[in-house]
Amino acid sequence: MQKSFIAGRPAFARAQRRAPSLLSAGLLVSVGLTLSTLSSSGWAQAAAASDAGATLPAVKVSAAKDAPVAQADTVGAGALGTRKQVDTPFSTHVVTSDEAKDLFATTSNDLFKYDPAVSISSDNALAENSMFNVRGMPIDTLNSIKVDGQSFPSWDTDLSLEPFEQVELLKGLSGFMYGFGAPGGIVNYVMKRPTDDPYRSVTVGYKSAGVFTEAIDLGGRFGNDKRFGFRLNLVNEDGNTAEANGHVRRKVASLALDFRITPDLTWTVDALYQKRKTNGTLFGLGFGSTAGGIPDASTINRAALTQPQNYYQTEMASFGTGLDYRLSENWHANVKYRFAKENRTNSDSFLYVGDSAGNYTNTLYAAMTRYFYQNVDAMVQGKFETGSIKHDVVVGAGFESQTSEYSNSTGWNLGYALGTGNLYTTTLLTNDEVSVGSELYRQQRTTQAAVYASDTVQFTSRLSALLGVRYTQYRQNVYDPSATITSQYSASPVTPTLALMFKTDPYSTVYASYVQSLEQGGAAANTNLNYPATFGPLRSKQYEIGYKTDHSKWGANLALFHVDQDYNYTNTSNYFVQDGTKRYTGVDASGWLALTNEWRVMGGVMWLDTKAVDIDDPNIEGKRVYGAPRFTVTGRVEYNPAYLRPLTVAFGGKYVGNQAVDAANTQFVPAYVTYDLSGRYETKIAGQDVTFRAGINNLFNRRYWTTAWGSFVSLSATRTAVASATLQF
């Protein structure tokens, strides 16, 4: 369980109990844990109030000036409904929109970079998009990205953060809660909704080497009895990035409306549009067996990697609507629908390095793909008692369809040869034949129809149990360009969830849980010899024992987990196969402590043991799973001086252990450490609240490799200076 802590806002102050841990802060400091960027100028006052045994103080700011309160102490749990984090038998991490600003976050990578369970697999500073693994397992961008709990197409896409009030990470399996999805977890984006009081803010931002951002956030209510509400967000971003040939252009618009038809019945509508284009992107780098290993990332000439014809563009739109009806004090029902579409255009290169001198061949893949998603969900949630036993039940049903369209073009299937280059010298490479194929065909369609039910049974004030089950009818068809079905898969699995919870005190929970899940099967990439082979769903199961606590001056979280997942990978003959099991066993622990009214420390650690088992290929059997570090450590120190309360400064960082690049463990990327520095200052100008933020990410310009998909690597982002100013009026 991890939560946000926002300065100067009492509702956030208690909520910040971010990243609980079994480790004391003193131990974290003594072992030299790296430190973090998240700053919060109000935590000192909160700690002082706790020392006095009082409730947290109210901030002397009018309600009209305050942003809407994000419920960082709660998390959406799919078929479980909304629960307090401390009351769920799963590992969670919630980040509010205000915390995102303090982190200078532009992607989910930034939001969760100080979570020890999260390791970056790519960054959109140079790669197509930002992606991360959780406990060594990748997030499924086709099934595990949600908007308000419903599936959203995010294949190689970064959702802009401005339209969202908070982002929730559910670590581990989610079969009962959300249906099909990889065991890495679920990332749920919660839309900003209308505010009861008028809210208006304008933000301008800067990122080196010349990217400027302007954002507007407006909210409020109108009409008789303020029955109509609105929330509008507009964003424009444009400028040259720090990378060679780098330029980013981003536009975002979102609108959320609601109508309180009666005091018990509310109708909601929302729309979201985003378009982002980045020049100077790179799909990835592969190092052959004759390359002599992966070189030191600091020796690479980054300008030698991308070419003028390299770019990446995504455009997405979404529409959602729903009805929420309070049936009684203890019962409510809702029904919601969402349509979403993504257009993706890539014209970026894969570099294959064939010798120790750094010589490579550059193959540019140019294509367009489209994704269409539809979701319909209905849920009833309520409470009742049978004698002395209390029940919190959820019953629901849902239907989801996904359709993928691919280019039938040379640029997608074979790519265009740009020529040869070298990692250490700049060479201009072009090909006049490069074009993005506009003729699309339906490549895949999947449907899921599901019914589910759960009962959280409270036996005593301390002891409770969760029983949940989901039945899913899953269908998958894969087509070739002639509309012929090349593979077909159907399944009707039952995925249960069982958990036992014990409250050691009102603020703490010990739990043990068991979860089963299915995920959509993998498919061979166009770099594999058996492309476009597609495989059926993968099954996973997870056991977890954990402890969560959330007190006024300290918080802690400890999870011991074991996951078995069916394995698909690229073998040593460059065939994509599905064989055997990936086994993950580890400890995920983190915590925070207010040392004094001015100083606060927090940090976390993850230890992870991974192994491939029951594999037919002796080159893979017993090896570490690719993309999974054995050890990760995070931490941060925040200072809010008593003599200057509007100011907060923070210093933080993260250590990530080495990772295998491929399933056979023939290559590894080395461990790395990054540091960040940030500050925030709150003041008033002409009677209006203004917040200034500034920081440096990757302070010492550490160059390192990340790895993904079991076959290639990407370069990290460089040192980046960031700054912003927000006027709230």
Side-chain angles (χ1 to χ4, degrees):
M1 176 189 64
Q2 294 179 295
K3 308 190 214 173
S4 62
F5 185 95
I6 303 302
R9 298 177 178 87
F12 290 136
R14 181 167 178 81
Q16 166 60 15
R17 319 289 158 63
R18 173 184 168 87
S21 166
L22 208 61
L23 304 174
S24 70
L27 176 60
L28 294 177
V29 173
S30 69
V31 298
L33 287 182
T34 53
L35 312 167
S36 113
T37 60
L38 179 58
S39 60
S40 37
S41 65
W43 64 262
Q45 295 97 315
S50 178
D51 290 339
T55 58
L56 297 180
V59 177
K60 296 180 180 179
V61 180
S62 66
K65 299 288 182 68
D66 272 345
V69 174
Q71 299 299 314
D73 61 336
T74 64
V75 61
L80 282 179
T82 299
R83 301 285 179 98
K84 287 186 177 181
Q85 290 196 80
V86 76
D87 294 335
T88 60
F90 313 105
S91 296
T92 57
H93 183 165
V94 176
V95 183
T96 68
S97 57
D98 278 324
E99 183 181 3
K101 293 177 183 177
D102 290 337
L103 289 169
F104 298 98
T106 58
T107 70
S108 57
N109 276 14
D110 305 320
L111 295 177
F112 302 115
K113 65 180 177 181
Y114 293 113
D115 188 319
V118 171
S119 56
I120 304 303
S121 55
S122 67
D123 191 292
N124 68 10
L126 186 63
E128 291 182 342
N129 70 310
S130 296
M131 295 179 62
F132 62 87
N133 297 339
V134 180
R135 298 174 175 175
M137 294 169 278
I139 294 294
D140 179 354
T141 56
L142 283 177
N143 297 283
S144 297
I145 307 298
K146 312 290 182 180
V147 170
D148 287 342
Q150 294 184 298
S151 293
F152 196 90
S154 296
W155 181 252
D156 289 354
T157 300
D158 292 313
L159 267 175
S160 295
L161 301 180
E162 290 89 352
F164 302 102
E165 193 61 64
Q166 67 184 38
V167 182
E168 304 165 346
L169 173 61
L170 169 66
K171 304 178 188 178
L173 274 65
S174 57
F176 160 68
M177 283 82 77
Y178 288 101
F180 272 60
I186 296 292
V187 182
N188 183 37
Y189 293 77
V190 180
M191 287 283 292
K192 289 180 177 177
R193 294 296 173 179
T195 57
D196 287 336
D197 297 302
Y199 177 77
R200 300 178 296 271
S201 72
V202 176
T203 300
V204 293
Y206 170 81
K207 181 187 296 184
S208 58
V211 179
F212 293 89
T213 306
E214 306 86 33
I216 297 174
D217 187 355
L218 306 174
R221 309 200 70 84
F222 60 94
N224 293 335
D225 301 323
K226 295 186 176 181
R227 295 170 70 185
F228 297 91
F230 73 95
R231 190 68 179 274
L232 174 68
N233 278 264
L234 300 173
V235 183
N236 178 69
E237 183 178 67
D238 196 1
N240 294 323
T241 68
E243 306 300 333
N245 303 307
H247 186 277
V248 62
R249 181 177 291 110
R250 180 172 64 100
K251 296 183 182 297
V252 184
S254 70
L255 177 64
L257 305 171
D258 70 26
F259 174 34
R260 294 171 178 171
I261 301 172
T262 72
D264 297 321
L265 180 63
T266 301
W267 177 34
T268 61
V269 178
D270 64 75
L272 169 66
Y273 173 81
Q274 170 186 314
K275 186 174 183 178
R276 185 179 190 273
K277 182 178 181 180
T278 308
N279 294 88
T281 58
L282 189 67
F283 178 75
L285 296 91
F287 289 83
S289 58
T290 58
I294 299 175
D296 187 337
S298 64
T299 65
I300 304 300
N301 179 2
R302 299 173 72 94
L305 303 181
T306 65
Q307 302 297 334
Q309 287 179 291
N310 291 148
Y311 73 90
Y312 188 74
Q313 178 176 289
T314 57
E315 182 178 22
M316 57 175 49
S318 173
F319 168 80
T321 186
L323 285 170
D324 189 273
Y325 185 42
R326 185 175 61 183
L327 302 169
S328 67
E329 182 179 355
N330 292 325
W331 289 84
H332 83 271
N334 65 69
V335 60
K336 55 187 179 180
Y337 166 82
R338 180 167 300 279
F339 168 82
K341 172 185 176 182
E342 176 189 347
N343 293 337
R344 170 180 174 267
T345 305
N346 64 288
S347 178
D348 44 16
S349 295
F350 180 79
L351 309 184
Y352 183 80
V353 182
D355 58 36
S356 58
N359 293 311
Y360 63 76
T361 58
N362 185 322
T363 304
L364 185 149
Y365 292 94
M368 177 182 289
T369 50
R370 289 197 187 113
Y371 303 91
F372 301 87
Y373 280 36
Q374 291 194 80
N375 298 256
V376 180
D377 294 281
M379 179 189 294
V380 177
Q381 183 172 4
K383 299 178 180 180
F384 65 92
E385 298 181 5
T386 55
S388 62
I389 298 177
K390 299 179 180 180
H391 301 265
D392 189 340
V393 299
V394 176
V395 179
F399 176 82
E400 173 187 326
S401 68
Q402 302 178 14
T403 302
S404 305
E405 295 182 352
Y406 283 15
S407 289
N408 182 24
S409 64
T410 299
W412 174 257
N413 296 310
L414 300 175
Y416 297 96
L418 291 192
T420 60
N422 187 275
L423 296 177
Y424 309 106
T425 59
T426 303
T427 305
L428 178 63
L429 302 174
T430 61
N431 187 333
D432 294 336
E433 296 180 359
V434 172
S435 65
V436 175
S438 58
E439 294 185 6
L440 304 180
Y441 71 96
R442 175 182 290 187
Q443 188 269 342
Q444 184 171 256
R445 177 174 170 80
T446 64
T447 60
Q448 297 182 49
V451 293
Y452 53 84
S454 71
D455 187 0
T456 302
V457 184
Q458 185 175 335
F459 301 105
T460 70
S461 60
R462 292 176 178 264
L463 181 64
S464 61
L466 166 66
L467 307 172
V469 64
R470 174 185 289 257
Y471 169 74
T472 304
Q473 289 186 342
Y474 177 87
R475 302 290 184 270
Q476 179 184 29
N477 291 336
V478 180
Y479 305 86
D480 65 16
S482 66
T484 301
I485 296 177
T486 58
S487 66
Q488 192 172 49
Y489 188 89
S490 62
S492 299
V494 175
T495 50
T497 291
L498 306 172
L500 191 65
M501 294 165 283
F502 183 78
K503 303 287 290 186
T504 58
D505 61 54
Y507 314 104
S508 309
T509 301
V510 176
Y511 66 89
S513 61
Y514 171 76
V515 186
Q516 287 186 7
S517 187
L518 285 178
E519 63 181 293
Q520 191 168 324
N526 49 12
T527 55
N528 292 126
L529 295 179
N530 58 332
Y531 171 80
T534 303
F535 296 90
L538 307 171
R539 183 175 292 274
S540 304
K541 57 183 179 180
Q542 172 183 288
Y543 303 88
E544 182 168 311
I545 300 174
Y547 171 72
K548 302 178 178 184
T549 189
D550 183 22
H551 294 271
S552 59
K553 294 180 63 176
W554 66 281
N557 181 65
L558 172 68
L560 291 79
F561 58 90
H562 177 94
V563 176
D564 281 343
Q565 176 192 14
D566 291 344
Y567 202 176
N568 53 21
Y569 58 91
T570 297
N571 64 20
T572 53
S573 300
N574 196 28
Y575 281 84
F576 187 80
V577 298
Q578 189 165 300
D579 172 40
T581 300
K582 290 189 288 187
R583 180 160 293 163
Y584 301 81
T585 303
V587 178
D588 177 4
S590 51
W592 71 275
L593 174 66
L595 292 172
T596 70
N597 291 343
E598 296 182 324
W599 291 93
R600 171 178 160 112
V601 296
M602 55 199 76
V605 60
M606 182 190 71
W607 170 82
L608 180 65
D609 178 61
T610 64
K611 184 181 295 185
V613 297
D614 300 325
I615 305 292
D616 292 334
D617 188 342
N619 296 308
I620 311 299
E621 173 69 24
K623 299 296 179 65
R624 284 175 58 183
V625 177
Y626 60 82
R630 279 183 171 167
F631 197 63
T632 305
V633 182
T634 68
R636 66 174 170 263
V637 167
E638 301 171 356
Y639 178 54
N640 177 217
Y643 59 85
L644 191 61
R645 284 305 192 198
L647 175 68
T648 299
V649 293
F651 178 67
K654 185 171 189 174
Y655 166 86
V656 179
N658 72 341
Q659 302 170 57
V661 175
D662 58 335
N665 292 188
T666 61
Q667 297 175 337
F668 284 82
V669 295
Y672 63 89
V673 182
T674 58
Y675 297 92
D676 306 290
L677 179 67
S678 71
R680 182 180 63 189
Y681 186 80
E682 296 175 322
T683 186
K684 285 184 178 291
I685 298 178
Q688 306 299 328
D689 295 322
V690 179
T691 302
F692 296 98
R693 296 176 174 90
I696 302 176
N697 293 327
N698 195 1
L699 180 63
F700 300 112
N701 203 22
R702 179 73 164 90
R703 308 295 180 91
Y704 57 92
W705 297 103
T706 63
T707 181
W709 305 115
S711 58
F712 63 87
V713 299
S714 297
L715 271 175
S716 65
T718 60
R719 176 170 51 211
T720 306
V722 287
S724 71
T726 299
L727 168 65
Q728 196 173 315
F729 59 97

